[in-house]
Amino acid sequence: MGWPRVFPGPLLILGDVTALPPLEAPLRRFEEALSELVQSDVLFIRLIHQDLVTAGGKRIRPRLVFLASRALGGAPFELELALAVELLHSATLLHDDLIDDAETRRGKEAAFRRYGNAVSVLSGDFLLSRLLHVIAKTGRIELVERFAQVAKTLAEGEVLQFQVAALEDYSLENYERIITAKTAVLMELAAEGPALLKGEPEEVRQALSRFGLLYGQAFQMRDDYLDLMGSPEALGKPVGGDVREGKATLITLLLMERFPEVREILRRKGREPGDLERLRALAQESGVAAEVEGRIRERALLAAKALGPLPPSPYKEALEALALAEARRLA
Amino acid sequence: MGWPRVFPGPLLILGDVTALPPLEAPLRRFEEALSELVQSDVLFIRLIHQDLVTAGGKRIRPRLVFLASRALGGAPFELELALAVELLHSATLLHDDLIDDAETRRGKEAAFRRYGNAVSVLSGDFLLSRLLHVIAKTGRIELVERFAQVAKTLAEGEVLQFQVAALEDYSLENYERIITAKTAVLMELAAEGPALLKGEPEEVRQALSRFGLLYGQAFQMRDDYLDLMGSPEALGKPVGGDVREGKATLITLLLMERFPEVREILRRKGREPGDLERLRALAQESGVAAEVEGRIRERALLAAKALGPLPPSPYKEALEALALAEARRLA
């Protein structure tokens, strides 16, 4: 690999993502390729994409692909895989704006508010067509099938989340299924994909698969935690979005077991003055917030541990650090 | 082929679709496979699919696949291709309900009115994931790429239609692009696909491709004609849907050239009493309705003629009949 070990292990154990190995070059190629891929001569598609795709994001899924690929010494078609996972994620965001009724997404006015739901949905479909195109470019039909599985699970997870809110069918079991389906399976494919494309031994593929799944779960658990307990300034959006959509997350599910009023607050979608403040106070005072933080840390540690079978490398350490950072991510 | 020629040619020239060769067996297998493919343990997905997918439709695209395949003496993966084209079409309908604000679709209450836009969009995404799955089953990466092209053009066409209505950018050129992109390219793939899968000579593939494209254009032109000039009873839905969405079609475009008031009616989306009646009367009295019918007939004839290079067979005749029927379709 030849990568100088300039950052100490203990720092990484604490999850210092600023010490990741540099991915500037692949990420620059990624941005260029993405911009080219989503070109269209239809004006309204270009406008949507300026909002969502080319304005960037954290590019967590492409980073996962590049790190996993490099932890294996480089996999073929890593760029195509990185593009494909990000396109699926971006399309989901565009189809999600309707669902979440999100007032802001990545700190900007949600696309659909400016051009209507229709254009958002169809621009998402356009991204999905480009996803098909990049996976076709790999010539690997088994990758098409893996994306088919992930896209199916993802859509089912999103619908289930809607269904659970509509039927007030709150349970920890449903929560686990939803975070796995709507977030973790795509992270799993991002991490496992390079092993698949490189034809790595089953043990290595499974290690990356397990890492991606557990990391994805920790990531979504952290997102959900911040949605209620985070700071609006750090997040760049108001807190309590999930409550306003009647969506139960780990904190509200655990609170519900102890305080019947929490179910009422969720039922009325936090519409009464002081509802959100009450939930935040209950979570702090009861120790539920700390308990959830503990569970996130636990999941992140399991993710890092799953990488055991991989040979040591700064990229492996970076993957570990990425997972462990979920224990204290603020935005 | 061994198929008895029980129906006379002249009848078919008039476009008698009741005289098509029987496709009962493949269509039954199609319905069974489709039902199986869209199974989900998520209740809300099942509800949507009962509405749209399993309640059926005319299955025009699968019919095209089966007829084209049999006109070539049978192509591999015809069932998978038929499923894939119908899944893409059905997903578009689900994503279209938002756009069209359609009060009825196939004579039923549009799915989103009962379960919300979110579930419609995500159930459409679920169908797209199943499309990926069936094309992966063929093992043919070139089919993945063809679907990528078609899905891209389709999404662009749908967004363009929205954009043209929003910007009042009415022109015959935009109209041709929209009907080609949102309808004809998928019909083209349905007709051309079997030749692609069978590895037919370029001449045969191009004949079917051209047929599908022209037939698809004639089909959409007829749909648009009926949207204004048809009978609500035959259609099972109110007329004037396009006008209410500010969408110009061939009739309104041609009327606009002669009657400035038509642009005004479209701008106010036919909201004033008597608007739709006025458009219908103008179309009849000015001869524009007849002119549009003539153009549809012309396009349908071109479609039928395109099949020239195919060997004679009842399936080829059935394809011709399907196209010619557009000249007088009422629903």
Side-chain angles (χ1 to χ4, degrees):
Chain A
M1 207 97 8
W3 181 262
R5 295 205 45 171
V6 289
F7 37 85
L11 201 70
L12 283 173
I13 296 302
L14 292 172
D16 182 4
V17 284
T18 60
L20 296 180
L23 292 176
E24 283 87 2
L27 281 172
R28 199 168 44 241
R29 275 200 305 278
F30 171 86
E31 297 296 336
E32 286 164 8
L34 183 64
S35 287
E36 205 173 304
L37 207 51
V38 302
Q39 286 302 315
S40 173
D41 65 345
V42 177
L43 171 70
F44 277 26
I45 289 184
R46 284 204 301 277
L47 292 177
I48 287 276
H49 292 167
Q50 271 165 21
D51 270 19
L52 193 81
V53 180
T54 48
K58 290 182 250 167
R59 306 292 190 222
I60 294 165
R61 292 154 192 83
R63 278 176 201 276
L64 267 183
V65 171
F66 292 127
L67 290 174
S69 165
R70 276 132 216 259
L72 304 175
F77 300 114
E78 60 166 24
L79 179 60
E80 284 74 16
L81 181 64
L83 290 165
V85 294
E86 190 70 358
L87 285 167
L88 185 49
H89 172 63
S90 296
T92 307
L93 287 187
L94 278 168
H95 289 178
D96 215 31
D97 270 346
L98 320 182
I99 302 145
D100 283 351
D101 200 12
E103 283 176 27
T104 52
R105 166 86 63 191
R106 289 177 182 165
K108 307 204 165 194
E109 196 183 27
F112 83 95
R113 293 201 179 272
R114 274 194 275 159
Y115 316 114
N117 271 341
V119 175
S120 273
V121 172
L122 296 166
S123 293
D125 289 348
F126 176 84
L127 295 184
L128 292 175
S129 77
R130 303 311 282 157
L131 155 67
L132 263 186
H133 171 69
V134 281
I135 52 178
K137 266 173 80 175
T138 69
R140 305 284 281 268
I141 206 84
E142 73 271 28
L143 197 66
V144 181
E145 177 53 27
R146 276 296 280 123
F147 269 94
Q149 291 166 5
V150 168
K152 174 174 183 281
T153 307
L154 219 162
E156 285 182 322
E158 294 272 3
V159 173
L160 182 64
Q161 185 171 40
F162 181 90
Q163 177 183 316
V164 162
L167 306 180
E168 296 178 27
D169 189 14
Y170 306 130
S171 70
L172 287 175
E173 195 191 332
N174 276 337
Y175 179 72
E176 280 290 336
R177 178 167 174 194
I178 289 167
I179 63 169
T180 302
K182 75 172 216 176
T183 305
V185 293
L186 184 54
M187 301 278 205
E188 181 186 14
L189 181 51
E192 171 203 19
L196 203 77
L197 287 165
K198 209 183 176 186
E200 289 283 326
E202 190 60 13
E203 193 199 20
V204 171
R205 195 194 56 71
Q206 276 184 14
L208 282 165
S209 158
R210 194 169 149 74
F211 166 82
L213 199 67
L214 290 161
Y215 168 61
Q217 289 167 343
F219 182 87
Q220 189 57 51
M221 286 162 82
R222 187 75 194 174
D223 256 14
D224 293 345
Y225 174 90
L226 291 172
D227 188 80
L228 185 61
M229 307 303 292
S231 120
E233 295 73 36
L235 294 171
K237 66 176 185 183
V239 294
D242 289 333
V243 175
R244 278 192 297 275
E245 291 166 40
K247 288 177 187 165
T249 60
L250 193 46
I251 289 185
T252 40
L253 283 166
L254 293 177
L255 284 177
M256 244 186 257
E257 290 173 2
R258 304 189 211 175
F259 310 99
E261 64 176 301
V262 171
R263 185 177 279 267
E264 284 311 310
I265 292 176
L266 215 58
R267 183 170 288 151
R268 64 177 178 249
K269 301 189 172 177
R271 279 200 201 93
E272 288 190 13
D275 271 351
L276 283 179
E277 292 72 14
R278 177 72 182 146
L279 288 178
R280 283 163 68 109
L282 279 177
Q284 291 294 7
E285 290 156 19
S286 65
V288 160
E291 187 187 334
V292 169
E293 289 212 272
R295 290 200 194 192
I296 296 169
R297 201 176 309 117
E298 202 180 314
R299 201 72 59 109
L301 278 166
L302 283 174
K305 224 181 113 188
L307 292 174
L310 264 65
S313 82
Y315 298 103
K316 175 184 175 177
E317 287 180 35
L319 287 170
E320 288 166 353
L322 210 56
L324 296 174
E326 291 308 306
R328 50 178 191 72
R329 175 162 64 88
L330 298 179
Chain B
M1 206 96 11
W3 181 263
R5 296 206 44 172
V6 290
F7 38 83
L11 201 70
L12 284 174
I13 296 300
L14 291 170
D16 182 3
V17 284
T18 60
L20 295 181
L23 291 175
E24 282 87 2
L27 281 172
R28 198 169 44 243
R29 277 201 302 278
F30 171 86
E31 296 297 336
E32 285 164 10
L34 183 64
S35 287
E36 205 173 304
L37 206 52
V38 302
Q39 286 302 316
S40 172
D41 65 345
V42 177
L43 171 69
F44 278 24
I45 289 184
R46 285 205 301 278
L47 292 176
I48 287 274
H49 293 167
Q50 271 166 21
D51 270 19
L52 193 82
V53 181
T54 48
K58 291 183 247 165
R59 305 294 190 222
I60 293 165
R61 292 153 193 84
R63 278 176 202 276
L64 267 183
V65 172
F66 291 128
L67 289 175
S69 165
R70 277 133 216 258
L72 303 175
F77 300 115
E78 58 165 26
L79 179 59
E80 284 74 15
L81 180 64
L83 289 164
V85 294
E86 190 71 359
L87 285 167
L88 185 50
H89 171 62
S90 295
T92 308
L93 287 187
L94 278 167
H95 290 178
D96 215 27
D97 272 345
L98 319 181
I99 303 143
D100 284 342
D101 200 13
E103 285 176 24
T104 52
R105 168 83 65 192
R106 290 179 181 166
K108 305 203 167 197
E109 197 183 24
F112 84 94
R113 293 202 178 272
R114 274 194 274 159
Y115 315 114
N117 270 342
V119 174
S120 273
V121 172
L122 296 166
S123 293
D125 290 348
F126 176 85
L127 295 185
L128 292 175
S129 77
R130 304 312 282 157
L131 155 66
L132 262 187
H133 172 69
V134 283
I135 53 179
K137 267 174 77 176
T138 69
R140 304 286 280 269
I141 207 84
E142 73 270 30
L143 198 66
V144 181
E145 178 53 26
R146 276 297 279 123
F147 269 94
Q149 291 165 3
V150 168
K152 174 174 184 279
T153 307
L154 219 161
E156 286 182 320
E158 296 271 4
V159 173
L160 182 64
Q161 183 169 41
F162 181 90
Q163 177 183 316
V164 163
L167 307 180
E168 296 179 26
D169 188 14
Y170 306 131
S171 70
L172 287 176
E173 196 192 331
N174 275 336
Y175 179 72
E176 280 291 334
R177 178 167 174 193
I178 289 167
I179 63 169
T180 301
K182 73 173 217 174
T183 305
V185 292
L186 183 54
M187 300 279 205
E188 180 186 14
L189 181 52
E192 172 202 18
L196 203 77
L197 288 165
K198 209 183 176 187
E200 290 282 329
E202 192 58 13
E203 192 199 22
V204 170
R205 195 194 57 71
Q206 276 184 15
L208 282 164
S209 159
R210 193 169 150 74
F211 167 81
L213 200 67
L214 291 161
Y215 168 60
Q217 290 167 343
F219 181 88
Q220 189 58 49
M221 288 162 82
R222 186 76 194 173
D223 256 14
D224 293 346
Y225 175 90
L226 291 173
D227 188 80
L228 185 61
M229 307 304 292
S231 120
E233 295 74 35
L235 294 171
K237 66 176 185 183
V239 294
D242 289 332
V243 175
R244 277 191 298 275
E245 289 165 42
K247 288 178 187 164
T249 60
L250 194 45
I251 289 185
T252 41
L253 284 166
L254 293 177
L255 284 176
M256 244 185 256
E257 291 174 2
R258 304 189 211 174
F259 310 100
E261 64 175 301
V262 171
R263 184 177 280 268
E264 283 312 308
I265 292 177
L266 215 58
R267 183 169 288 153
R268 66 177 177 249
K269 302 190 171 176
R271 279 200 200 94
E272 288 191 15
D275 272 351
L276 283 179
E277 292 72 13
R278 177 72 181 146
L279 289 177
R280 286 164 66 108
L282 278 177
Q284 290 295 3
E285 290 157 18
S286 65
V288 160
E291 187 187 334
V292 169
E293 289 211 273
R295 290 201 193 190
I296 297 170
R297 201 176 309 117
E298 202 181 313
R299 200 73 59 109
L301 279 166
L302 284 174
K305 224 180 114 189
L307 291 174
L310 265 65
S313 81
Y315 298 103
K316 176 184 175 179
E317 287 180 34
L319 286 170
E320 289 165 353
L322 211 56
L324 296 174
E326 290 309 306
R328 53 179 189 68
R329 177 162 64 88
L330 298 178

